[in-house]
Amino acid sequence: MVSLEDFGSYETAWCPGCGNFSILQSVKQALVDLQLKPQELLFVSGIGQAAKAPHYLRANVFNGLHGRSLPVATGAKLANPGLTVVVESGDGCNYGEGGNHFLAAIRRNIDLTLLVHNNQIYGLTKGQASPTTAAGQVTKAQPSGVASDPFNPLAVAVAMKAGFVARGFSGMPEHLTTLIGKAVRHKGFALVDILQPCVSFNKVNTSAWYKKRCYELPAGYNPSDWAEAMKTSMEWGERIPLGIIYENNRPVYGDHFPQVKQKPLIAMKPDQEQLIRIMNSYA
Amino acid sequence: MVSLEDFGSYETAWCPGCGNFSILQSVKQALVDLQLKPQELLFVSGIGQAAKAPHYLRANVFNGLHGRSLPVATGAKLANPGLTVVVESGDGCNYGEGGNHFLAAIRRNIDLTLLVHNNQIYGLTKGQASPTTAAGQVTKAQPSGVASDPFNPLAVAVAMKAGFVARGFSGMPEHLTTLIGKAVRHKGFALVDILQPCVSFNKVNTSAWYKKRCYELPAGYNPSDWAEAMKTSMEWGERIPLGIIYENNRPVYGDHFPQVKQKPLIAMKPDQEQLIRIMNSYA
Amino acid sequence: MTDPGGLNILIGGEAGQGLVTIGQLLAKALVRSGYFIVVTQGYQSRIRGGHNTFSIRTGPRELSTPREAVDLLIALDRETISLHQGDLHSGGLIITDLSWGGERSDFVGVPFKELGPVKLNNTLALGVAGALIGLPQDVLLNVLSGFFGKKNPSVLEENRQALTKAFQWTGNKAPVFPKLPRVSDPGKRVMMNGNEAIALGALSAGLKFFSFYPMTPATSIALSLAAQAESLGVIVEQAENEIGAVNMAIGASFAGAPSMVATSGGGFALMVEGVSLSAMTETPLVIVVAQRPGPATGLPTRTEQADLDFILHAGHGEFPRAIFTPGTIEECFYLTRQAFALAESFQGPVFILTDQFLADSYRAVSSFPIEDLPWVGPVSDPPNISFPYQRYALTEEGLSPRLIPGMTDHLVVADSDEHTEDGHLTEDLAVRKKMVDKRMTKMEGLLREASMPEYRGEPNPDVLLMTWGSTKGAVLEAAAELNKQGKRTGTLSFSQVWPLVADHFSSILEGAKEVVAVEGNAQGQFARLIRRETGFPISRRVLRYDGLPITPEYILNSLKA
Amino acid sequence: MTDPGGLNILIGGEAGQGLVTIGQLLAKALVRSGYFIVVTQGYQSRIRGGHNTFSIRTGPRELSTPREAVDLLIALDRETISLHQGDLHSGGLIITDLSWGGERSDFVGVPFKELGPVKLNNTLALGVAGALIGLPQDVLLNVLSGFFGKKNPSVLEENRQALTKAFQWTGNKAPVFPKLPRVSDPGKRVMMNGNEAIALGALSAGLKFFSFYPMTPATSIALSLAAQAESLGVIVEQAENEIGAVNMAIGASFAGAPSMVATSGGGFALMVEGVSLSAMTETPLVIVVAQRPGPATGLPTRTEQADLDFILHAGHGEFPRAIFTPGTIEECFYLTRQAFALAESFQGPVFILTDQFLADSYRAVSSFPIEDLPWVGPVSDPPNISFPYQRYALTEEGLSPRLIPGMTDHLVVADSDEHTEDGHLTEDLAVRKKMVDKRMTKMEGLLREASMPEYRGEPNPDVLLMTWGSTKGAVLEAAAELNKQGKRTGTLSFSQVWPLVADHFSSILEGAKEVVAVEGNAQGQFARLIRRETGFPISRRVLRYDGLPITPEYILNSLKA
Ligand SMILES: Cc1ncc(C[n+]2csc(CCOP(=O)(O)OP(=O)(O)O)c2C)c(N)n1
Ligand SMILES: Cc1ncc(C[n+]2csc(CCOP(=O)(O)OP(=O)(O)O)c2C)c(N)n1
Ligand code: SF4
Ligand code: SF4
Ligand SMILES: [Mg+2]
Ligand SMILES: [Mg+2]
């Protein structure tokens, strides 16, 4: 029996009141619900406040570079398909610095879970606009207000027919726990964009702001209806839908590779005869 | 009067039969139709076969790095809003190496035109899969077939509410000329994804393959209907729609900047009094 | 006070307790009262909690380096006491909460709870410290008004009252502490850190376009510029990542705007291809790299000087570059100006290599004579250019007349491929050779304009301390002490580390009995470079790579060992 | 034939005329007949048209370098004649179309039109050349079958007939040409270029994961590996860009798969941050950089050795690395194996620095004894690891026992931040210092295992030619000729340029009357590095940077000048 204690409890470097605490708790609870052992799990993160999260639970961890967690996770998953791989990082990390890897991961449909702590701001570097910061929002780096339109990760993911596209909110931890559990269980690339108040630097998208707007998608909502999902992904402002926005069963990356058969590469025995055959083909 | 001769005529390094020739001709014709002088134009390109195109016409040119034409163009346009800036490069350049800049350019809605010669292959490096190569297509680098799903640039652009999203085909040069003309005239970021046969390396998406499938969007098609555009952007396979798929009038980047008022930065006079005021603010 | 230059105040506490605020206010009050300061900031990669420090060394004479021994410790939390009491000089005091104070005679136990709510503790501590060292109360009140005035008058009032209470309490209850000597003429100085000076230097030089992606410790350059962008008609653009930033800046520079980027090592790693592009297309570009300890993410908020080799050799292919390494706030300002002038004149990449210590180190500097300083920037329509324009015309100096697209009737063609004189791509190998020679010839101009290193001391010293960049101040003060101890010591400080002109300094190296390289890295990178360029071996080294700046004490201790 | 080693055949024509095909076929027929070869490919950054060359130097004895003078010129277009007839030795012949031939006695005017359709011109030219130099017709026919057999039997038949016709025509109509001396025992050799040898070396060493983004001249490594991936259970993954490639490889290596990336300078520029990550997380990684002329896009299909300084210093922060620079096909194979072993044992980044010339240079090499060569790779479950596992345990050698996540009951934590022994991020500055020392200590192991440079010649020569990487062969042959001319010449070739052990070679440098550095770059980068590491100055240099490889003639001419 895996229990919450298996994932430990650590002092964090986060600000009191930060939404990250609740996300961390939901992640742990989801793993307990799935009865996944720390040893089976690999957390990969980038750099930022969100990216520190894997240091605060017990698991295998690779905390890499800002923006580069998805390719690291992809390499690790291909090398050992037996690992359950979870990528956890911020909106800046995944949609800013690492935007191109986000697109590539969706195209690959590699079997991993991407948890984006989306506080709509660069937290660790003290409050510059992130790709999801609202247009017009003023920061010290954008004193005349953000001039770009925000990135809508869900719309792009649905447009690209990502396998699992969901939104959660740190202020609704039970709902979030369920969502994370489903995402981890999903075969293929699963995105959970998690709205997360940053009490220190985002004075617009506060906990109250989110609470007022967030609602759970109704039971009748059909996440396999792409056109509906597209529309739902665009909903933002007065009302913000939470839940699984879109889901499908695209073939998973690696299923294409006969050489990746749920067996770690490290366990593959050398085939010297084949190697000799290859060498002789140069004769 | 600007005429075709003003844009010169050059020997190219392209293969006989390549779709690039016709695109080059359409670009020149569109510029003539718009009566734009070579001196008013800045072409920015990356690296690839498509990216050589600006060398084959008379204009200001910055032929930069593979994948990096959009940020160069953005910097140049911000520095001199008077320039008409056209980015011309391949599918690999813009959607592969430069995918993150593609997202950022759409978000900015900076006033430039992006012409993507989309031959669904890496031409210059001899035929590896590009982001738009069909799943399953076999190349020397993908001997078991491409394992990722192709990138759909139009769907992503529409999902992000890009200002002008269109598709052309090198085999329908008059239609393409009109499209390019409209794209250049559009205020804001304009994408024209141009289907282009690569006779040397893409033996699947040949001229005949495209000809059989491409059709012009009907006169009644309404490019300002986003949901419709989303659906149209997904059409691919038996039938491939050409034309302006989506259009809107989002505010243009730079309109936000009071300091960029259709006047090149080079012409801005130094304001020493303000500088002294700034210095004194540190006292 | 055993500090030869003055008084060393260290404020310690958690992030979020407002210690940077009172540090800045205290520093500003000191500057306005005519004192010199050197601020050292030590903080962590987190927003709240942890342990941060803001230390101010101050005195009536010019100061160039921090020191480690503390005269006045302001402890906003208990951890500060345990971590820093060992640094306290005899005679030093610890300002702290009464309840943490115990019975020690060196404690100034302030009854914070009595004097005001917790959120005012920092201002109270500021008042106590100000009063102890003899700062006029009205100067501190003015500084408070400048800081809080804009935001909220009621907050200002609270803070004014707290400050006043603290002065009263100190007058009545606190032990005596040696007052700072009064300065008769406070001069006309400003308080600025290294990054602010780089930003102002860039603006004064004619910067028109700045693109960046946030990265400590470079971000404050962006923030300083962003605050002024609108009023000066400068564009400051946050890019999608560092690759975007450097390519945007190149595009803007190509279109005529003097351009700059600023980042730290990890972000710069992503700009490396762009450096090569700037060189190949001969597009001026100023690149600021504010160093922090690596590899990879390393220690994001600390200091180091370990990216010299990296910056010097960054970029594929061969091309000239220049690297400035400011050692003072004034050098941050003036070398940034020089970087812009050089980038424009030699048409290529010029670096400013600084570090977290200098970036965040506030100092008092004389106002810069902005009105007398020229701007640089390309001429929009130079005369006598014949048709067809050749962007890469071969000339003796390797420099081709530069035009800006859209500003004349000429067409400007730039290319990252090897190119002919008109800028179009070529695979002609004879042209290739000429173009390499052209680009490399520009090195000669850079060599001609290279700054001399600064030598101080008598000729042929027994010990020569050689250094570069922000370590200069520590080396100067260590040398002064060695000289006092009777050891004839000279210093050689490089504010430009590339290109090097051996004639500028070889005889100085050879004339010394012993040369010691002092650098903030583990390998002695600059000493190695000197050997490569001159053959002169420097085996004695004082190196530091624990994330803290080199101090005079550190040098003196290392030399003893 | 004035070539000391054999015969030099140059095939020239446009891209798309099939000259690489017949070049490879001719080369293969030569190897199968027991001759040695050195192929040099010159091509342009385009798919059709332009001017390409495929030259084969061949002879019965081992060859290590191309030469410039041509004995047999196969001109598939007229341009080839005008561009290369100046290189023709007296006694040399030009095989070309009858109608372009004019009256010259050195022309072998082939009536291509009479003998077959245009598309068979290349095979006809192959037949004429084969017949002229005395290659057995059946060997060529076999080679043709191997090449065309798979595709289409009717195409094969056409080509066989064309070849046969060409042999007949040559026997009847062509001038006589000195035949290659017969080789009695053709040996058991394979034909391989540098990139193929790197790919095979990697596979034989235990490569399990390879990620890449296409870039000339590195792409063929990826293609060679991709062709074998499925049969060997290796993953070859094309990434979205080079940043993705390097980070994927690091992820795969962390998860236990010996991993490699391959690119050229511009692509490597994007991997620089990843190099630093590999070092900080202590994740093994083999990085191949196949050099081409820069800066920026430069000359994408040509050769140069100008990225040495760049590779040596790439990455922010300080950490050890090793750089191998193969000079032959055998070295490409064995040094790649060594790179894997070293990356695994020292847990960090190891480079293989090659270039377009070597990458594309086919040679005849003895089959490698694959059956006797061990594989490397992490142990999936090493014994005696106590709980809790510490990924960065401090040890005397700086090396910590490495576990693979998911393979044991332990948890493996790796971090790009400065970290404690258990892999979690820390801002403790004392730990920081220990961790820097730990990482830098690994340099000692690298130094112990560093390869000796190869010295050839008598002791204390009058001239010592010093070189590295692919220029080795040219230097050896130039030295042989100088010795023949009575000039006592030695050679010192480095197949590993970092780390350098001065004791390995200092006395050799000092013992020579004159040292000449021979390198394919404009600055003499390796000579500079030698001075940095040993103080030994090398002012005489033979440098080349026009995109072509250094040849013996080039060296001899430069030394005369
Ligand atoms: C290459 C690189 N560029 C920039 C940085 C600096 N940096 C660290 S975290 C961060 C932003 C973090 O924002 P986000 O990903 O949204 O995480 P948050 O802190 O908000 O949770 C940046 C820009 C870096 N570490 N590396
Ligand atoms: C940083 C970098 N990586 C890789 C390359 C090599 N490269 C040159 S062109 C190209 C692909 C071109 O494909 P695309 O953009 O589709 O253009 P096409 O040739 O098909 O027109 C690549 C990978 C490069 N020049 N720079
Ligand atoms: S800065 Fe924001 S995101 Fe970071 S810990 Fe504090 S509240 Fe959370
Ligand atoms: S390779 Fe393809 S894209 Fe390139 S020129 Fe030839 S046909 Fe056109
Ligand atoms: Mg964030
Ligand atoms: Mg393409």
Side-chain angles (χ1 to χ4, degrees), chain B residues 20 47-51 65-66 68 89-94 97 117 119 121-125 128 130 196, chain C residues 273, chain D residues 213-216 242 263 266-267 270 292 297:
Chain B
N20 283 333
I47 296 297
Q49 298 284 30
L65 299 169
H66 180 60
R68 312 304 170 190
S89 237
D91 44 331
C93 215
N94 286 301
E97 182 78 73
H117 299 213
N119 55 8
I121 206 79
Y122 283 0
L124 188 57
T125 47
Q128 303 80 24
S130 90
Q196 171 233 326
Chain C
E273 197 190 8
Chain D
Y213 188 81
M215 188 160 196
T216 311
E242 289 85 351
T263 183
L270 294 166
R292 66 191 218 188
T297 311

Side-chain angles (χ1 to χ4, degrees), chain B residues 104-234:
Chain B
I106 297 177
R107 290 184 47 224
R108 281 197 184 89
N109 199 27
I110 178 121
D111 184 19
L112 49 83
T113 304
L114 171 61
L115 306 179
V116 182
H117 299 213
N118 183 357
N119 55 8
Q120 303 187 250
I121 206 79
Y122 283 0
L124 188 57
T125 47
K126 304 199 167 178
Q128 303 80 24
S130 90
T132 55
T133 305
Q137 191 164 322
V138 170
T139 81
K140 281 196 186 159
Q142 283 80 25
S144 327
V146 174
S148 285
D149 274 353
F151 183 66
N152 182 336
L154 305 180
V156 168
V158 177
M160 292 180 73
K161 302 213 162 163
F164 184 104
V165 183
R167 181 190 280 126
F169 168 40
S170 65
M172 291 166 65
E174 276 161 48
H175 179 258
L176 178 61
T177 302
T178 316
L179 222 48
I180 294 173
K182 287 186 180 157
V184 172
R185 245 189 349 246
H186 175 82
K187 278 289 285 173
F189 179 78
L191 164 68
V192 189
D193 184 78
I194 307 169
L195 302 175
Q196 171 233 326
C198 165
V199 297
S200 293
F201 296 111
N202 192 333
K203 309 289 184 183
V204 175
N205 310 105
T206 60
S207 194
W209 190 94
Y210 287 125
K211 281 228 166 80
K212 207 178 120 189
R213 290 163 170 82
C214 286
Y215 75 97
E216 284 181 46
L217 284 167
Y221 180 80
N222 176 7
S224 63
D225 178 337
W226 177 83
E228 189 60 26
M230 224 31 256
K231 235 179 69 191
T232 309
S233 75
M234 300 303 287

Side-chain angles (χ1 to χ4, degrees), chain C residues 14-242:
Chain C
E14 294 185 7
Q17 287 194 299
L19 93 166
V20 174
T21 305
I22 61 166
Q24 288 177 334
L25 295 172
L26 184 55
K28 187 147 268 190
L30 287 162
V31 174
R32 290 212 185 143
S33 307
Y35 300 103
F36 289 88
I37 58 166
V38 172
V39 166
T40 310
Q41 298 195 53
Y43 50 103
Q44 294 183 307
S45 191
R46 59 193 291 165
I47 306 308
R48 299 284 296 275
H51 176 67
N52 289 3
T53 60
F54 189 105
S55 81
I56 309 172
R57 187 178 175 216
T58 186
R61 276 167 304 143
E62 195 152 355
L63 295 170
S64 61
T65 173
R67 292 186 74 97
E68 291 174 13
V70 174
D71 299 294
L72 194 58
L73 180 62
I74 305 177
L76 297 182
D77 63 356
R78 296 182 95 126
E79 199 183 0
T80 299
I81 305 176
S82 58
L83 287 173
H84 298 282
Q85 58 186 4
D87 300 332
L88 207 67
H89 262 160
S90 67
L93 291 181
I94 304 179
I95 300 174
T96 186
D97 191 288
L98 179 61
S99 63
W100 307 333
E103 301 292 287
R104 292 173 48 171
S105 63
D106 56 357
F107 271 60
V108 184
V110 185
F112 285 119
K113 277 206 197 85
E114 287 172 29
L115 297 173
V118 176
K119 64 171 177 181
L120 292 175
N121 281 9
N122 61 341
T123 306
L124 289 165
L126 170 67
V128 174
L132 278 180
I133 64 175
L135 268 185
Q137 190 175 339
D138 62 326
V139 174
L140 272 167
L141 286 172
N142 275 337
V143 168
L144 267 188
S145 306
F147 185 81
F148 290 108
K150 310 166 206 163
K151 294 183 188 170
N152 192 328
S154 74
V155 174
L156 172 60
E157 197 41 43
E158 277 174 2
N159 278 278
R160 288 177 66 94
Q161 285 176 13
L163 193 91
T164 311
K165 269 198 205 144
F167 262 79
Q168 281 164 358
W169 180 87
T170 311
N172 298 334
K173 303 281 178 71
V176 221
F177 190 72
K179 305 266 173 290
L180 280 171
R182 273 286 146 97
V183 176
S184 49
D185 173 16
K188 196 180 174 304
R189 296 199 199 96
V190 296
M191 176 177 116
M192 217 174 254
N193 66 27
N195 275 359
E196 289 168 341
I198 287 173
L200 188 64
L203 291 172
S204 82
L207 171 82
K208 287 286 173 55
F209 188 93
F210 178 81
S211 42
F212 74 105
Y213 188 81
M215 188 159 196
T216 311
T219 309
S220 62
I221 297 175
L223 303 185
S224 300
L225 291 171
Q228 310 303 347
E230 210 172 304
S231 77
L232 281 174
V234 168
I235 291 192
V236 174
E237 178 68 9
Q238 182 174 320
E240 51 276 24
N241 57 23
E242 289 85 351

